[in-house]
Amino acid sequence: PLCNPLKLDYKILGCVNESHLKLVESIIDGICPNYMLTCNPNIDELSLADLTLVVEKRDGRKRRYLFDPRENGLPYVDYSSILHPGDVKVGADLLLSAISGEKGPIRDTLALNAGAGMYLSKKSSSIRKGYHDAQALIESGEALKKLNEWRAFQR
């Protein structure tokens, strides 16, 4: 993800090891003006199960904080409910069901991380607001529509 040939203005990366986070931060700081790095020992993205360490750089301002889904009024998602099922096709079907509107922990986790991207790119005023905005895009069918456009473009 750090070797993308495109000049990106926004990037989100996650890791499960804080020493890796420090290494990624030292690299990304010079190649991307706005980013969010997440670190959680159980999942390489923002978590709805527990605290996630976030290193955020937006508009030249960098800050570190712990993201707490409970303080943000977001639902609890147990890690066991979002584990990869072990089969790529089954996993893809689960993700497609979630983005198609099926409610549940996978959709909630997708919405949280999409919402973080919406916040980072200033489409939403906070990660919490981004979560709700992403849920609305899923509910309206716009998220699935965009996925299908991307799939057609990729052939």
Side-chain angles (χ1 to χ4, degrees):
L2 290 172
C3 297
N4 192 320
L6 299 175
K7 168 107 173 73
L8 300 174
D9 292 326
Y10 304 96
K11 189 154 196 73
I12 298 178
L13 292 170
C15 55
V16 295
N17 183 307
E18 197 165 347
S19 65
H20 294 161
L21 176 81
K22 291 174 185 173
L23 176 62
V24 170
E25 182 180 1
S26 70
I27 296 168
I28 198 169
D29 208 36
I31 61 175
C32 189
N34 302 285
Y35 58 81
M36 182 180 289
L37 305 175
T38 66
C39 184
N40 181 294
N42 298 300
I43 190 170
D44 64 350
E45 54 192 38
L46 283 170
S47 172
L48 286 169
D50 56 24
L51 300 175
T52 303
L53 173 61
V54 175
V55 177
E56 173 190 314
K57 183 178 176 187
R58 287 177 65 199
D59 300 327
R61 181 176 170 244
K62 190 188 288 189
R63 65 186 185 123
R64 295 174 87 84
Y65 57 92
L66 288 175
F67 177 81
D68 185 344
R70 249 50 68 230
E71 284 183 5
N72 285 278
L74 299 177
Y76 173 81
V77 169
D78 187 273
Y79 288 121
S80 66
S81 65
I82 59 170
L83 285 175
H84 191 286
D87 180 281
V88 173
K89 169 98 173 76
V90 172
D93 288 345
L94 289 169
L95 289 171
L96 185 58
S97 293
I99 206 166
S100 296
E102 183 176 313
K103 293 183 180 190
I106 294 172
R107 174 177 156 170
D108 290 342
T109 303
L110 285 172
L112 173 63
N113 286 278
M118 294 169 77
Y119 160 71
L120 182 64
S121 63
K122 301 180 187 167
K123 306 286 185 210
S124 300
S125 59
S126 67
I127 294 173
R128 179 179 193 262
K129 175 81 167 73
Y131 166 87
H132 291 291
D133 292 345
Q135 288 282 17
L137 288 170
I138 292 169
E139 199 63 40
S140 72
E142 287 298 312
L144 180 61
K145 179 181 172 190
K146 187 55 74 178
L147 174 63
N148 287 333
E149 289 173 9
W150 179 249
R151 291 167 87 182
F153 175 76
Q154 292 292 311
R155 288 175 242 206

